[in-house]
Amino acid sequence: MNEVSINPSTLKGRDFLTLLDFTPDEVQYLLSKAVELKAAQKQGIGKLELAGKSLGMIFENASTRTRVSFEVGMTQLGGHALFLSPRDLQIGRGEPVKDTANVLSRYVDAIMIRTNSHETVQELAEYAAVPVINALTDAFHPCQALADLLTIQEQKGELQGKKLVYFGDGNNVAHSLLIAGAKTGMDVTVASPVGYEVDPSIFNLAVEAAKETGATLTLSSDPKAAAKGADVIYTDVWASMGYEQEQQEREKALFPYQVNDELVSQAASDFIFLHCLPAHRGEEVTASVIDGTRSFVYDQAENRLHVQKAVLVSLIGS
Ligand code: CP
Ligand code: NVA
């Protein structure tokens, strides 16, 4: 693992909206902090670094991993997490984001939000006096990408120069993988059918960030060629939250991008398979791959806990 030298106090009070807002050294620092916290938890010597602190968690969409890992993470650090659904919050009845941000800031030490619109998260961050953490929007999923980096680092020893290929539509997870790869010097390819490519403006931002690390970012519409020599094969559901009504047309367009035994035979012999989960076996990935020996999806899910604890300690720890 790389030696990182940043002053950790530079992370205090910051928002965590996308990894674009963090330097390569800061990303490496968060990863090294996650490694430290994971080891401490496994040895039973974790410290209550967030004793007395509270995290408000606004979920406008379903979640298994994000909700449980943030809530358990706060508990393990000696703090407390509140699950806030729009069904219960006044925001669900039209209270402005501005008022919600201001009021919650008087009670909690950080706000985590999962919502469709990235603009809502930006607005919340603009008005909140406490750090806001993006727990998935239609554009980004930075907590996931940080957990993905940790998982790749654990399995491959390092990130620099490793080849990751993502198969699927250019969604939130694809965007955050491009940015994460850019920040860590990886070689990231997103293979998507025509009409389902990544957002060009986000791709351009990632390409700009890649200049700092020597990362290479590529878009492809040839899944077999893209898979050649991959160290990491990654996929995600064909219809993300909010796009369920497009399921049928997406199945047709994305079927050639299914991660199956034939596709992974193109990858490096020691490739690893990752998926942010939830997965649909028989759609974006076959059971033979996701349940096979090269799959590390449960380690990846576990790592959400460790990286988010690193983010929380870095943003709101004393
Ligand atoms: N990967 C992920 O964010 O999972 P959840 O939707 O279950 O939180
Ligand atoms: N792209 C998926 C990720 C789920 C964690 C979605 O947005 O539904």
Side-chain angles (χ1 to χ4, degrees), residues 3-218:
E3 280 304 313
V4 201
S5 58
I6 68 153
N7 179 350
S9 68
T10 60
L11 294 170
K12 298 284 176 246
R14 300 251 298 266
D15 297 314
F16 187 79
L17 304 193
T18 105
L19 288 177
L20 284 169
D21 303 333
F22 294 82
T23 66
D25 278 352
E26 287 170 344
V27 173
Q28 292 295 341
Y29 172 81
L30 289 171
L31 288 172
S32 62
K33 188 78 195 161
V35 169
E36 182 190 312
L37 290 166
K38 182 171 182 175
Q41 191 228 330
K42 301 280 177 202
Q43 291 164 41
I45 55 167
K47 298 197 197 99
L48 303 181
E49 297 184 54
L50 298 183
K53 305 260 170 152
S54 297
L55 172 71
M57 306 190 301
I58 304 174
F59 278 98
E60 294 195 337
N61 277 320
S63 167
T64 296
R65 281 142 289 270
T66 305
R67 183 204 170 158
V68 178
S69 55
F70 265 109
E71 192 163 335
V72 168
M74 282 301 287
T75 304
Q76 289 181 358
L77 291 164
H80 178 68
L82 298 92
F83 175 73
L84 305 168
S85 111
R87 263 198 312 277
D88 311 314
L89 289 178
Q90 295 288 8
I91 204 170
R93 294 179 57 243
E95 183 168 17
V97 171
K98 176 182 172 177
D99 291 349
T100 306
N102 273 290
V103 171
L104 288 181
S105 299
R106 302 294 176 104
Y107 304 131
V108 300
D109 299 282
I111 304 168
M112 186 234 80
I113 179 163
R114 166 169 289 196
T115 184
N116 287 333
S117 149
H118 193 67
E119 286 70 37
T120 302
V121 177
Q122 287 172 320
E123 191 183 352
L124 191 74
E126 183 186 340
Y127 291 111
V130 297
V132 169
I133 298 172
N134 176 2
L136 182 144
T137 62
D138 52 5
F140 302 107
H141 198 359
C143 297
Q144 182 65 55
L146 205 54
D148 302 340
L149 291 177
L150 179 59
T151 313
I152 298 163
Q153 185 174 279
E154 286 173 346
Q155 297 308 322
K156 296 284 155 205
E158 61 177 348
L159 298 168
Q160 184 80 36
K162 294 294 173 222
K163 178 173 178 177
L164 180 150
V165 187
Y166 169 94
F167 298 89
D169 73 322
N171 64 14
N172 41 18
V173 168
H175 291 152
S176 286
L177 280 171
L178 282 165
I179 297 162
K183 292 284 175 181
T184 55
M186 293 181 69
D187 172 358
V188 181
T189 298
V190 172
S192 315
V194 173
Y196 293 93
E197 297 94 344
V198 297
D199 179 328
S201 62
I202 295 175
F203 184 70
N204 289 341
L205 290 171
V207 167
E208 230 8 76
K211 290 180 186 158
E212 281 184 87
T213 63
T216 34
L217 308 180
T218 312

Side-chain angles (χ1 to χ4, degrees), residues 259 273 275 277 279-281 284-292 295-298:
V259 175
F273 172 73
H275 189 309
L277 304 179
H280 293 173
R281 285 167 177 76
E284 74 275 7
V285 60
T286 57
S288 59
V289 174
I290 194 169
D291 299 321
S295 174
F296 290 83
V297 295
Y298 300 133

